[in-house]
């Protein structure tokens, strides 16, 4: 039984239909990240699960129960928002206990749960402050605490870290991951447009674009075997290299050909029959291109060197194609040097040029 | 050399522009304060002094006699109980009208901003139009309606009128204020199990203090200064202070008692004056906030 099951859900804002029959099953205890560019419908989907907007069609199950018509408070969910959304006129303690007080929970029980959540998030010393007396990071901790106190089975996060600076973001990201591990059976749905957050937190990533699911899979699958050009380009920094070319049959095997560049595709696992003679796009991640004197592709010169500490990115060009190559941070290569490049076709991705789908 | 480089605070100089500005401000202040000043000193003079005609002269023998007379024994038409009757009438009209119009306006604004009420946009449009139509247009139809209902010329009637005419402005004011509050706050409260009233009373209302102050100021001054509604709808028993002031000033038997008239006028203006002095800062702040958030 899934913890959350979204079945053929459509959402409509007046005349505009945002989703058309979207389905997604999430297992108990799973950490699912909805990832996609702005406006792709992540928040809308989350709000539909929370019951904050009505669905036009379809059903939503939480814990095996059909909650499609239920009030947000009865769905067994808790939610954390990007803008914290703390009640400004209440102390931290009152903020965290508001939901329990609404539900007429006994005082002792409220005290116990607030203390527990406060300890977990290290905000015990802030309990009597007002939200405007807290820093951004502390506010978001309180907001997470308010969600924890609800003892929900499903936690919904809508870009909880987007308003924080980079340092705090890393810190709280780890904390959320730790929290998920400690809570054990809690299911989490987490919305972000930050691929690092998605890769580090998720058991499964749902990549979305234009209100459509592009790919669902583990971070490794999404990164290693992107389902289409959009996913391939969206995930990974520096970006995947793309080469436009053609698929040609050559002495028994298949080869990718782009001008003077050729790549025999022995070992590449095609999804179905390879479209020989068709226009295709080859995608190679910068770390899968190796600097090799006797490499497959010759005649590249280093245009730009970008040292990033742990590694260095080289922009290599042969006049018609430019490729980013990731090499170690200790590399001594300088601008203008001639290099050869080698790559393993098993680690590359091929996409149809017309549909953008993986081949 | 570098000695001439600008550094530190800019030297203040009295430019012609500044002088002009101060001159204008001074003139404006005198223009608005002079009448008040004349009223005040006249009300403190006995009639003999007033007859001398020096209206700008300070009172030689200041006395509060006129104030006492204005408050408790000036004649409004036939009865001579002073303006105090009108004062208490105004208070009885003011308190329920202010409370009701603000409460309803706040709830309306809240509902329009956060709950997707069916036809909210239409309702809002109607309210907007309502806020800008000259209310004289409604006078006669309302008189007919209230007569039919049998409440014409009563306290209920005048309070109802003030509430109805206060509602569009109050709703607009609160709707704009709530439009500036992030919707996520409302969503969080919904997930925490708040209903329509709990969210309003426990989350939104505590955040609305600045707007409540502004609304109170607007309504208190507006309703206190009202003349035509009071005259039309309140009935003889409940005539507000403004109407009674008019009656005192215009009851022309014998010599005109300027000092009493002035004192009565000052008494009638007391409430709005106090409100402005006490809350001037809040008032400006609220209006500014309303304007920015609009
Ligand atoms: N109240 C609304 N009325 C009409 N259209 C809306 C409404 N809310 C969202 N939309 C539309 O639905 C689509 C999805 O919006 P949504 O807020 O879910 O995006 P998102 O993925 O959360 O983006 P972001 O990363 O910027 O938060 C957008 O195209 C948006 O224009
Ligand atoms: Mg969003």
């Amino acid at each position: 039984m899934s913890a959350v099951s979204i079945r053929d859900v459509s959402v409509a804002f007046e005349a505009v239909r945002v989703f058309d029959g979207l389905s997604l099953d999430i297992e108990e205890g799973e950490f699912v990240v909805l990832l996609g560019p702005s406006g792709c419908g992540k928040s809308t989907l989350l709000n539909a699960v929370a019951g904050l907007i009505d669905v036009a069609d379809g059903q939503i199950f939480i814990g095996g129960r059909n909650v499609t018509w239920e009030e947000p408070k009865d769905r067994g969910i808790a939610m954390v928002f990007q803008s914290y959304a703390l009640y400004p006129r209440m102390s931290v303690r009152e903020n965290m206990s508001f939901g329990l007080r609404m539900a007429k929970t006994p005082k002792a029980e409220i005290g116990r749960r607030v203390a527990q959540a406060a300890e977990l998030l290290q905000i015990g010393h802030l309990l009597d402050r007002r939200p405007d007396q807290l820093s951004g990071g502390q506010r978001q901790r309180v907001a997470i605490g308010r969600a924890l106190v609800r003892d929900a089975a499903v936690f919904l996060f809508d870009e909880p870290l987007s308003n924080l600076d980079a340092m705090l973001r890393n810190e709280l990201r780890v904390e959320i991951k730790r929290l998920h591990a400690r809570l054990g059976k809690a299911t989490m749905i987490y919305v972000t447009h930050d691929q690092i957050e998605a890769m580090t937190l998720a058991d499964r990533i749902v990549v979305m674009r234009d209100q459509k699911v592009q790919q669902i899979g583990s971070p490794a699958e999404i990164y290693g075997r992107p389902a289409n050009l959009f996913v391939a380009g969206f995930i990974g920094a520096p970006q995947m290299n793309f080469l436009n070319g053609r698929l040609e049959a050559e002495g028994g095997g298949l080869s990718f050909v782009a001008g003077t560049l050729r790549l025999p595709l022995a070992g590449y696992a095609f999804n179905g029959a390879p479209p020989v003679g068709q226009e295709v796009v080859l995608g190679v991640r910068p770390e899968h291109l190796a600097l090799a004197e006797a490499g497959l592709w010759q005649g590249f010169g280093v245009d730009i060197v970008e040292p990033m500490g742990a590694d260095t990115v080289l922009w290599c060009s042969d006049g018609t194609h430019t490729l980013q190559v990731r090499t170690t941070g200790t590399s001594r290569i300088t601008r203008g040097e001639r290099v050869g490049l080698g790559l393993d076709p098993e680690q590359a991705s091929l996409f149809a040029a017309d549909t953008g789908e993986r081949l | 050399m570098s000695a001439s480089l600008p550094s530190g605070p800019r030297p203040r100089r009295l430019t012609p522009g500044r002088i002009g500005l101060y001159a204008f401000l001074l003139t404006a202040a005198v223009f608005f304060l002079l009448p008040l000043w004349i009223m005040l000193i006249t009300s403190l003079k006995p009639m003999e002094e007033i007859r001398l005609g020096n209206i700008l002269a300070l009172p030689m023998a200041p006395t509060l006699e006129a104030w006492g007379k204005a408050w408790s024994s000036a004649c409004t038409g036939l009865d001579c109980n002073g303006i105090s009757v009108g004062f208490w009438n105004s208070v009885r009209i003011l308190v329920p009208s202010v409370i009701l119009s603000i409460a309803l306006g706040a709830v309306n604004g809240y509902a329009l901003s956060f709950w997707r009420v069916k036809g909210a946009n239409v309702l809002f449009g109607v309210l907007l139009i309502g806020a800008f139509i000259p209310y004289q247009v409604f006078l006669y139809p309302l008189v007919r309606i209230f007569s039919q209902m049998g409440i014409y010329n009563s306290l209920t009637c005048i309070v109802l009128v003030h509430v109805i005419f206060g509602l569009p402005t109050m709703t607009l004011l609160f709707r704009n204020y709530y439009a500036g509050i992030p919707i996520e706050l409302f969503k969080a409260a919904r997930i925490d199990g708040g209903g329509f009233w709990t969210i309003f009373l426990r989350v939104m209302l505590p955040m609305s203090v600045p707007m409540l102050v502004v609304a109170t100021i607007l309504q208190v001054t507006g309703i206190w200064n009202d003349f035509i509604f009071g005259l039309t709808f309140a009935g003889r028993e409940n005539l507000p202070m403004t109407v009674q002031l008019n009656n005192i000033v215009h009851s022309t038997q014998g010599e005109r008692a300027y000092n009493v008239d002035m004192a009565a006028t000052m008494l009638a203006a007391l409430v709005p004056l106090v409100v402005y002095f006490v809350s001037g800062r809040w008032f400006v702040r609220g209006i500014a906030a309303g304007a920015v958030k609009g």
Side-chain angles (χ1 to χ4, degrees), chain A residues 105-342:
Chain A
T105 314
K107 271 225 170 67
E109 172 72 7
I110 295 181
R112 196 183 60 73
R113 286 212 224 162
V114 170
Q116 201 179 10
E119 199 206 300
L120 215 57
L121 291 159
Q122 297 144 36
I123 48 173
H125 58 294
L126 306 173
L127 284 179
D128 293 311
R129 293 214 202 154
R130 287 269 200 81
D132 57 4
Q133 299 166 323
L134 302 177
S135 72
Q138 290 170 330
R139 281 181 212 186
Q140 199 52 287
R141 273 170 202 270
V142 173
I144 295 172
R146 180 173 63 183
L148 276 187
V149 164
R150 289 182 56 76
D151 235 355
V154 179
F155 288 84
L156 308 174
F157 293 88
D158 194 351
E159 307 200 25
L161 308 182
S162 298
N163 279 6
L164 305 176
D165 64 46
M167 280 265 274
L168 264 174
R169 208 179 303 167
N170 288 348
E171 191 185 313
L172 267 180
R173 196 180 69 213
V174 174
E175 201 134 334
I176 289 174
K177 184 147 190 166
R178 191 173 293 139
L179 203 64
H180 179 239
R182 277 182 75 159
L183 293 177
K185 285 200 294 185
T187 309
M188 297 195 171
I189 309 180
Y190 187 107
V191 164
T192 183
H193 55 241
D194 181 322
Q195 47 167 310
I196 309 283
E197 274 172 37
M199 296 292 289
T200 52
L201 289 172
D203 294 324
R204 264 197 311 162
I205 298 178
V206 179
V207 185
M208 296 172 66
R209 179 204 196 184
D210 295 341
Q211 296 106 47
K212 296 223 168 47
V213 171
Q214 302 291 306
Q215 187 174 5
I216 303 179
S218 70
E221 275 168 13
I222 301 265
Y223 189 78
R225 294 180 55 81
N228 56 36
L229 273 173
F230 171 76
V231 176
F234 192 70
I235 305 270
Q239 226 193 10
M240 187 182 255
N241 296 297
F242 294 114
L243 289 171
N244 291 311
R246 177 184 295 280
L247 208 55
E248 287 181 4
E250 225 181 23
L254 286 170
S255 277
F256 168 81
V257 181
T260 54
L261 302 179
R262 306 187 147 262
L263 175 67
L265 293 172
Y268 183 84
F270 279 97
N271 288 339
V276 182
Q278 299 289 309
E279 299 282 324
V280 295
V281 178
L282 177 77
V284 192
R285 297 226 176 260
E287 65 268 28
H288 294 152
L289 281 169
L291 295 172
E293 249 167 66
L296 189 60
W297 294 344
Q298 294 296 333
F300 278 85
V302 177
D303 271 349
I304 296 173
V305 180
E306 288 185 309
M308 297 188 168
D311 42 38
T312 300
V313 175
L314 309 173
W315 294 67
C316 304
S317 173
D318 70 347
T320 41
H321 307 103
T322 302
L323 296 168
Q324 293 184 67
V325 180
R326 183 182 242 155
T327 177
T328 58
T330 52
S331 156
R332 301 205 172 269
I333 292 185
T334 54
R335 208 182 103 124
E337 254 177 75
R338 305 255 108 204
V339 293
L341 300 173

Side-chain angles (χ1 to χ4, degrees), chain A residues 47 71 73 79 81 83 85-90 99 101-102 146 150, chain B residues 116 182 184-185 187-194 198 202-203 206-207:
Chain A
N47 280 321
E71 283 292 303
K73 68 176 160 79
M79 192 159 173
F81 299 91
S83 63
L86 297 175
Y87 312 124
R89 293 275 146 189
M90 297 185 200
R101 284 183 284 141
M102 290 289 102
R146 180 173 63 183
R150 289 182 56 76
Chain B
R116 268 159 296 130
E184 297 187 336
L185 199 64
K187 291 181 174 174
R190 286 256 290 159
I191 288 178
D192 269 342
T198 34
R202 302 188 54 173
V203 179
M207 295 175 67

